[in-house]
Amino acid sequence: MIYSVIVDISASEVDRIFDYKGEGYQVGMRVAVDFANRKKEGYIVAQKETTDCPLHKLKEIIAPLDDFAAISPEQLKLGEFMRREYHLRWVDVLRLFIPAEMRGNRVKTLSKKQSYLTADKSLDDILSSLKPNAAKQRDLVSFLYKNGATLNEQLNNSFGAGALKALVEKGIVSTNEIVVRRSPYKNLKTAEQQKKVLLPAQQNAVNTVLSNKQGRYLLHGVTGSGKTEVYLTIIENIVAEGKSCIMLVPEIALTPNMLRQLRERFGDNVALLHSGLSVGERYDEWLRLRNGEAQIAIGARSAIFAPLTNLGAIIIDEEHDSSYISDFNPRYNTLEVAEFRAQENGALLLMGSATPSLTSYYAAQKGQLRLIEMPERINKRPLPNVEIVDMAEETRSGHKGIFSRLLKQRLQETLDKGNQAMLFLNRRGFSSFLMCTKCGYVAKCADCDVSLTVHREDNMLKCHYCGKKYYMLAKCPECGQNSFRQGRIGTQQVVDLLKEMFPTVNVLRMDADTTQTKESHGKILEAFARGEAQILVGTQMIAKGHDFPKVTLVGVLDGDQSLHHSDYLATERTFELITQVAGRSGRDTETGTVVLQTYTPTHYCLQLAAKQDYKGFYKREISLREASAFPPFSEILRILYQGENEKDCIDELTTQYADLTNLKADNSLDFFYMDKMRCPLKRAEKKYRFQILIKLSKNSVNKILPQIYSICDNKKRSNVQIFVERNPQNLS
Ligand code: ADP
Ligand code: ZN
């Protein structure tokens, strides 16, 4: 038999299938092969009877690496889909499907010795064969009689190694090896869960979804409307039919609640896929899913590749979250991968959010997704009251500083009542915009209507969309003053100020600096939940689905920050963030308050976010997108060139740009825009970065994309890497 093999070589740019011969292998197996006289690992992606390669040159597969096919037939199909859609190399795709440490044989199943009573006799019979004074041996026998087979390590601990050894020698006890699964749940505190009686809105959502188990659904439920319970009930129904489920959350460390609730409800039927697990735990959880020992996978983005068969449901919580779009190699959109898997398995796909992405809500309007709405919080608890503070006005009236008078007052009131507050700093992306602190003016590109980015190294303002440059402003074109802000406030600075203002109050901080270790997220959140601090200061990390009943005040210190980020998604992201953080306030009996500090208080995004008016926002934003032909009305493509040799990058880009220009000339109606430029992040990890940005008409994607990809494939310089991103979330 001839096998087509993808050889696993990381540095190489080779994306080719090599043929080998062998007998008795399965498609999807990992194998050892001879490649250029070196022993390498590879994946069998197909088998066939004949090959173009001369038979005498055909090498024999050396050996299998596992005793099972690590890649399933469905995954191979998915791999082909991802290669086609995202212009990915086979090896990068295949590596997504297995735990990283399977490669290089760095992880194995763990087996341990266990012992059991050899003969099926009565306890008295066995004991009568032992000396009356062999107390430990007698105890051990009684223990095994009662408990059955037990791990040797436990027996040796309880009865001493001598007792077990003696019993084995006498043949009374026998020993064998069993596979033990390493468990990542040791620190997870679960309790007996009382199943909630669904409220009418929840019951309606569940009924709608279960009425067509191959449907596509968008659950738009405000923060605190009880979406989790809807997910759990659906999973329960699907699992009862013997099918498996995938539950995705934006970031597992930030959403410990979901894992806890799933474990409480479904116990060992849940497996966690998460990069924070130990190597052995990750491998064993993957095996449990692969072998059907667990039917429910939970995890962040990459859990969409869970090795489950017979999938009945894929649920994506907080579907608007940008983490679902991978922005490094391999780049892919989790929602599209989910759609593919749902289709292959005849499974249902349910996406939920309080602030659906514009693209998803638009799809629902078009009837591609069925919209289910839960517009009220559980028990009709009111949404928080949002107060907007004009920070330019604060400055004008002589109140400089990070905290407005209103926010200080609300903080004081909250602390006096013994409640808790969360203060949120908004910091997305790496670019910083230029803003007048007197009037709130923000420097924007004349052609693109996106904010300009300050480039300190040459003191210029640049548009990250079209590449246009502007001189740094000496004074504000609106009010004539020279009072610009371009930096950011730091979380530590906020904590220090709080300690000055409220010396007796405990403050916790959660950001990238304080969450370096594996468990730190959970620890900070748990401490806050236990009431060890009254104020939690953080970045977007604290915006996600937490449920702290004592929080009645949320302060957004810099509501503008992401609004002026230089891409077309900035407004949508800001609306999401503000709605999400506001949703942390007043989740229990007391109505919550939100103080939103901003330099652009009249901006429609902030006004509508303050009212939590998603539909109003959607209407406005979608018409702007349509008018300016941004997604979902077009498709944005970024082709990224990177390499350590700057000139080679430029040459490669220039050559391909010429080919693309020809393509554009032949299809001028399909191209809305195309340009080449340096990336805003000019050099990363020693590599220079350049990009071509293309805006394509939505209808021509299927026609044009393969042609663009084939131009990309026609690469001349091996030291330049080329990556394509579709509708990137981040253009840095
Ligand atoms: P969402 O994810 O929509 O923001 P959650 O699922 O976190 O909302 O639910 C909000 C709160 O309401 C939680 O404290 C949850 O325990 C509670 N809850 C949900 N469903 C019910 C129900 N049917 N009866 C009582 N309480 C509920
Ligand atoms: Zn521009």
Side-chain angles (χ1 to χ4, degrees), residues 82 86 88-89 91-96 301 305 325-333 723-724:
M82 292 178 71
Y86 308 121
L88 299 175
R89 291 190 303 159
V91 358
D92 293 322
V93 177
L94 292 169
R95 285 176 185 173
L96 288 171
R301 176 171 77 212
F305 304 115
I325 298 185
S326 162
D327 58 3
F328 51 84
N329 184 43
R331 294 169 166 84
Y332 60 90
N333 181 336
F723 297 110
V724 182

Side-chain angles (χ1 to χ4, degrees), residues 196-199 202 222-228 378 547 587:
K196 296 185 180 76
V197 179
L198 294 185
L199 295 165
Q202 292 172 317
V222 297
T223 54
S225 58
K227 294 186 287 295
T228 312
I378 291 288
D547 196 6
R587 289 172 75 89

Side-chain angles (χ1 to χ4, degrees), residues 450-516:
V450 296
S451 3
L452 297 172
T453 299
V454 179
H455 283 243
R456 292 213 180 79
E457 60 293 344
D458 51 6
N459 204 32
M460 297 284 277
L461 297 168
K462 288 178 200 170
C463 173
H464 285 182
Y465 239 88
C466 68
K468 203 165 175 172
K469 291 185 191 177
Y470 301 78
Y471 287 111
M472 191 64 161
L473 297 175
K475 58 182 204 263
C476 173
E478 295 279 324
C479 71
Q481 308 227 35
N482 177 7
S483 168
F484 289 112
R485 194 184 105 189
Q486 46 169 282
R488 299 181 172 130
I489 321 167
T491 36
Q492 185 55 48
Q493 199 186 345
V494 173
V495 171
D496 293 344
L497 283 167
L498 285 169
K499 286 191 172 146
E500 267 172 44
M501 284 192 286
F502 309 106
T504 59
V505 165
N506 284 331
V507 181
L508 279 168
R509 169 181 154 212
M510 183 150 149
D511 56 22
D513 294 339
T514 60
T515 51
Q516 304 271 341

Side-chain angles (χ1 to χ4, degrees), residues 329-349:
N329 184 43
R331 294 169 166 84
Y332 60 90
N333 181 336
T334 312
L335 272 48
E336 291 165 1
V337 174
E339 166 61 38
F340 182 91
R341 289 204 74 181
Q343 185 74 34
E344 280 299 304
N345 286 275
L348 70 87
L349 175 60

Side-chain angles (χ1 to χ4, degrees), residues 538-561:
T539 54
Q540 28 282 53
M541 282 182 188
I542 65 173
K544 310 223 166 127
H546 309 302
D547 196 6
F548 300 116
K550 290 293 263 182
V551 171
T552 55
L553 172 67
V554 165
V556 182
L557 295 172
D558 50 354
D560 305 288
Q561 191 84 55

Side-chain angles (χ1 to χ4, degrees), residues 389 391-392 426 433 435 440 442 451 485 556-565 570 574 578 596-603 606:
V389 179
M391 292 304 278
N426 191 345
F433 60 94
M435 185 177 67
V442 172
S451 3
R485 194 184 105 189
V556 182
L557 295 172
D558 50 354
D560 305 288
Q561 191 84 55
S562 64
L563 196 54
H564 306 305
H565 190 266
T574 304
I578 292 181
L596 174 56
Q597 301 189 155
T598 168
Y599 287 91
T600 44
T602 55
H603 195 291
L606 302 183

